[in-house]
């Protein structure tokens, strides 16, 4: 709580009743999300990790900083679906113990309790805007069109699972000139298994129409309705996303979090 923006993912896991403690000692924590099975590690002070077993180094040959530090197998065996580190100094330790760094992110947090204004973006009653736009929860009928839109994953199984869980929303434009209204999916956003808001994608032909803002506003307001703190994770270097979050009044963690997976995962 002393660095709430950085630890919002862990705080929200606890607040939502989804966290289990795998390890705790002297201010160091390893949590696991009971839904996604992703683990979350932090040791905010500068002390050495208590997770490691120290093995005496061979003084006859040079070794790198982490060659004598081993995370016990009974710990790594429980990290089955990746781990999020909240201090960069532990990245090399995890690499030396069979993990790959996959992505560095900044936490982006909406700290207000009041809902965001939807004026000019979408109608909260689900009826279309003058331009035909509606935003609604996706269902099984939308999977075929929505699954290829999820950025960053070649395998669509994950977004299919999130749609089936009712955690993905779509922006549709209706064409009322036909006998039957034709709704075209223009963009999506969703809530990841561990609670962060992401999966944002707007088709190129529908960009620069405030659809990204509308989708994020919709997702944030839905999270607030559930009593959650809306947050997302911005991949380092994604300046366009940072500007979008800034325009919506989000606050950023000063330092990054680091997603890592096992080499054999």
């Amino acid at each position: 709580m002393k660095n709430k923006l950085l630890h919002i993912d862990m705080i929200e896991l606890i607040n939502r009743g989804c966290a289990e403690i795998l390890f705790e000692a002297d201010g160091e924590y390893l949590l696991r999300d009971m839904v996604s099975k992703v683990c979350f590690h932090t040791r905010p002070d500068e002390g050495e990790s208590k997770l490691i077993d120290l093995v005496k180094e061979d003084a006859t040959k040079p070794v790198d900083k982490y060659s004598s530090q081993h995370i016990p197998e009974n710990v790594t065996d429980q990290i089955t679906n990746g781990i999020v580190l909240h201090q960069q100094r532990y990245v090399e330790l995890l690499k030396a113990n069979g993990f790959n760094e996959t992505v560095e992110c900044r936490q982006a947090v909406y700290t207000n309790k009041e809902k965001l204004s939807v004026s000019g973006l979408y109608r909260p009653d689900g009826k279309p805007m003058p331009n035909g736009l509606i935003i609604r929860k996706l269902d099984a009928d939308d999977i075929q069109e929505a699954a290829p839109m999820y950025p960053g994953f070649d395998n669509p199984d994950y977004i299919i699972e999130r749609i089936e869980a009712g955690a993905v929303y779509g922006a549709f434009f209706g064409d009322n000139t036909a006998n039957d209204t034709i709704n075209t999916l223009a963009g999506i956003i969703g809530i990841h298994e561990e609670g962060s808001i992401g999966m944002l994608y707007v088709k190129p032909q529908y960009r620069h129409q405030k659809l990204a803002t509308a989708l994020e506003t919709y997702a944030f307001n839905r999270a607030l309705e559930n009593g959650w703190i809306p947050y997302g994770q911005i991949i380092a270097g994604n300046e366009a996303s940072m500007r979008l979050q800034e325009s919506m009044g989000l606050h950023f963690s000063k330092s990054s979090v680091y997603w890592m997976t096992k080499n054999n995962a």
Side-chain angles (χ1 to χ4, degrees):
M1 293 298 290
K2 292 180 180 178
N3 193 344
K4 190 173 182 179
L5 294 179
L6 178 64
H7 294 103
I8 190 63
D9 48 2
M10 301 178 76
I11 292 168
E12 277 296 283
L13 277 184
I14 296 168
N15 289 343
R16 300 179 194 188
C18 296
E20 58 180 335
I21 299 175
L22 299 183
F23 177 87
E24 183 274 325
D26 297 336
E28 180 177 16
Y29 291 91
L30 180 66
L31 303 184
R32 181 166 60 191
D33 174 19
M34 292 185 287
V35 178
S36 68
K37 305 305 180 185
V38 172
C39 292
F40 298 79
H41 173 271
T42 190
R43 183 179 175 88
D45 62 31
E46 295 295 327
E48 288 291 333
S49 172
K50 300 294 184 180
L51 276 176
I52 62 176
D53 288 334
L54 294 178
V55 180
K56 187 174 181 180
E57 296 180 10
D58 184 350
T60 64
K61 61 179 181 179
V63 293
D64 66 55
K65 180 179 179 181
Y66 296 97
S67 63
S68 63
Q69 299 183 3
H70 299 278
I71 301 174
E73 287 187 6
N74 68 321
V75 174
T76 59
D77 286 348
Q78 297 183 79
I79 306 173
T80 58
N81 200 20
I83 184 170
V84 183
L85 304 180
H86 291 70
Q87 289 81 32
Q88 185 181 26
R89 63 182 180 272
Y90 294 119
V91 170
E92 291 302 320
L93 172 61
L94 268 290
K95 284 183 178 179
N97 281 269
F99 289 79
N100 284 320
E101 181 185 350
T102 57
V103 65
E104 174 187 351
C105 299
R106 295 271 298 281
Q107 308 271 34
V109 187
Y110 183 72
T111 59
N112 294 333
K113 295 182 180 179
E114 296 78 19
K115 287 185 179 181
L116 287 155
S117 171
V118 304
S119 178
L121 297 175
Y122 66 88
R123 287 186 55 163
D125 60 7
K127 295 181 179 180
M129 294 282 286
N131 62 357
L133 173 68
I134 62 169
I135 299 179
R136 63 165 173 83
K137 183 188 299 182
L138 300 187
D139 56 34
D141 293 337
D142 302 309
I143 287 176
Q144 186 174 0
E145 187 174 6
M149 297 172 66
Y150 179 48
F153 279 78
D154 296 327
N155 189 332
D157 289 349
Y158 177 74
I159 189 172
I160 291 173
E161 291 172 358
R162 299 312 294 150
I163 292 172
E164 291 175 343
V168 185
Y169 314 112
F172 294 83
F173 280 104
D175 179 6
N176 294 311
T177 61
N179 292 331
D180 296 319
T181 300
I182 300 172
N183 290 315
T184 302
L185 181 61
I188 62 171
I189 197 168
I191 301 175
H192 287 291
E193 282 184 318
E194 85 290 348
S196 66
I197 293 172
M199 297 182 258
L200 177 63
Y201 181 82
V202 176
K203 290 180 179 178
Q205 64 268 36
Y206 294 104
R207 293 173 186 171
H208 310 295
Q209 299 181 45
K210 295 187 177 180
L211 278 189
T213 300
L215 284 164
E216 285 215 0
T217 298
Y218 187 90
F220 288 177
N221 287 345
R222 292 297 295 267
L224 288 166
E225 289 171 5
N226 288 323
W228 302 339
I229 298 174
Y231 78 96
Q233 295 179 334
I234 312 303
I235 296 176
N238 189 342
E239 297 300 327
S241 184
M242 290 286 284
R243 289 193 296 271
L244 173 62
Q245 314 313 318
E246 286 177 345
S247 71
M248 298 182 65
L250 274 69
H251 297 275
F252 302 96
S253 59
K254 292 182 179 179
S255 54
S256 300
V257 297
Y258 303 86
W259 282 79
M260 303 191 75
T261 57
K262 286 183 178 178
N263 290 336
N264 58 358

